[in-house]
Amino acid sequence: TNSASQFIELRKGWNIFSAYLIPQNSNMEAVMENLLADNKLTKVEDEYGRTYSKVSNSVGWVNKIGDLQQTEGYKICVSANCILEIKGQQVTLPLTIPIRRGSNLISFPFDGSVDAMQVIKPLIDAGILYKVQDEKGNSIEKWKGIWMNSIGNFNSGEGYIVQALGSGTLVINNFNEKSSVQTVLRAETSFFQVDYNNNGVDHMNINITDLDKTGFKAGDEIAVFDGNICVGAVKLAFSDFENNAVSIPASAAEMIGIDGFADGNPVEVKAWNYETNEVKSLQLTETEGTLAFNRLASVFVQVNANQVTGVTNNINNLEINIYPNPVTERVNIAFTIMPEPGTKISLLNITGKELEGRNAESMNEIFDVQHLPA
């Protein structure tokens, strides 16, 4: 048989991969052979949460996935940067990928790059596409009625998360490679540093609209925090202002409280001005979605430029962010670092009478005010 090789670059941590080759032995254990030999593999996971992983030293590796499927993408976690080699025969195109309502991990079994919008347009035309994400959390989704492509191209070796509003099919054809789009790599942030490894995992998209009303400039940085954990950051580019919007992928945690967000925690966003070296906590107004962390979700927000708070020259200094404002049920008092022991928070009425008071014992305190007069 005529056998070819595909080399898929993987970064330390989580990746999403797929193959344009059909291995002679499609069992996931055989597919992972070179990573196992190099002791680089941590886990493989399919869209249903089934895994190929090492249970224990005595039991060894257990394959609950079965065989590599042509239509599927797979999440893979590795302990260091490495290359997955797959040998086999090329997938026959066109290939039909079934899409079910909800979240799908799809393959891109094509040797080359294609404009992502061209690939997923049939799902848009069918009215069933909600969102697409790549392994870095870049997305294709609808902004104020217009589909925005932050992914650029679909590339060989990659898999993609497709969230659908209903069931349907996606056909991967022998695309003309000239349909690929020129993508400009976003510059790395210099001030904000994320706390997760490389790509991150199960991202939420924090989408900020109306940049022209914020006073930000290209070169400024915006970061997303869960408490004191930086879960996503971008350096603003001129293209963001041409689009008048920017999307910040925020990574979920593998280890809660260390390297990503915990579901349900409040979203905090900060901005750094590269000219003045000032950091500000931003107050945001939700236009769609909720400012609470949720894996694979999206929230669309506008910056309330008149309520920017907490200017400091050092991100590690104490800042206090109080939100929402106005409040009807619960008010959050969020600290960037743990307050000094004995720090007291008091809730006063307009005459100065203390309605409630307590010592701050965490970085996020919540007062229930729904029982109080407006």
Side-chain angles (χ1 to χ4, degrees), residues 8 10 15-19 23 25-45 51-53 61-63 65-69 73-78 82-87 157:
I8 302 172
L10 302 173
N15 305 259
I16 304 176
F17 84 95
S18 68
N25 184 351
S26 293
N27 185 276
M28 191 59 73
E29 182 174 9
V31 174
M32 294 293 130
E33 182 179 11
N34 77 293
L35 296 185
L36 290 169
D38 293 338
N39 198 29
K40 299 288 179 63
L41 183 64
T42 303
K43 180 190 289 187
V44 183
E45 186 175 314
T51 61
Y52 173 58
S53 60
W61 289 81
V62 175
N63 182 10
I65 295 175
D67 292 348
L68 179 80
Q69 303 296 321
Y74 297 89
K75 291 165 58 179
I76 182 170
C77 186
V78 291
C82 55
I83 293 178
L84 171 62
E85 181 181 3
I86 296 179
K87 297 180 179 180

Side-chain angles (χ1 to χ4, degrees), residues 173-373:
N173 292 297
N174 282 301
F175 297 103
N176 182 347
E177 287 193 61
K178 292 181 180 179
S179 69
S180 62
V181 295
Q182 292 292 329
T183 55
V184 179
L185 290 177
R186 184 179 289 276
E188 295 289 332
T189 54
S190 56
F191 184 81
F192 292 115
Q193 300 298 319
V194 297
D195 288 311
Y196 57 84
N197 281 325
N198 292 314
N199 294 326
V201 67
D202 293 346
H203 305 80
M204 179 180 181
N205 293 98
I206 315 300
N207 299 323
I208 300 177
T209 62
D210 299 326
L211 285 180
D212 58 348
K213 300 176 182 177
T214 63
F216 297 145
K217 304 173 297 299
D220 292 345
E221 296 179 10
I222 304 178
V224 180
F225 285 82
D226 182 350
N228 63 345
I229 305 170
C230 184
V231 299
V234 297
K235 183 186 288 289
L236 292 174
F238 289 108
S239 59
D240 298 320
F241 293 93
E242 291 173 358
N243 295 327
N244 201 23
V246 66
S247 179
I248 310 170
S251 175
E254 287 186 79
M255 296 173 286
I256 299 297
I258 296 177
D259 62 355
F261 67 73
D263 287 285
N265 283 357
V267 175
E268 183 179 0
V269 179
K270 299 179 182 181
W272 172 70
N273 186 311
Y274 80 95
E275 291 180 338
T276 64
N277 199 35
E278 290 181 332
V279 176
K280 299 180 180 181
S281 289
L282 305 179
Q283 291 193 1
L284 307 172
T285 300
E286 303 155 343
T287 58
E288 183 180 339
T290 304
L291 273 170
F293 286 113
N294 186 9
R295 292 168 186 254
L296 306 183
S298 292
V299 61
F300 292 83
V301 298
Q302 295 173 327
V303 176
N304 189 339
N306 295 324
Q307 295 184 359
V308 173
T309 62
V311 178
T312 178
N313 287 323
N314 189 336
I315 194 65
N316 294 316
N317 286 346
L318 177 65
E319 295 178 28
I320 304 170
N321 191 24
I322 303 172
Y323 62 93
N325 182 16
V327 61
T328 56
E329 296 181 354
R330 288 173 294 278
V331 61
N332 295 270
I333 300 93
F335 302 93
T336 54
I337 59 175
M338 188 64 193
E340 292 288 335
T343 297
K344 184 179 179 182
I345 308 172
S346 296
L347 178 63
L348 313 177
N349 68 11
I350 200 168
T351 66
K353 178 183 176 182
E354 184 178 275
L355 304 178
E356 185 177 351
R358 63 169 179 263
N359 287 341
E361 297 179 348
S362 70
M363 292 176 58
N364 192 71
E365 298 286 336
I366 298 175
F367 281 89
D368 189 341
V369 298
Q370 58 185 332
H371 61 286
L372 297 176

Side-chain angles (χ1 to χ4, degrees), residues 99-104 163-168:
I99 301 295
R100 71 178 194 279
R101 180 178 179 180
S103 185
N104 303 259
Q163 295 187 56
L165 303 172
S167 59

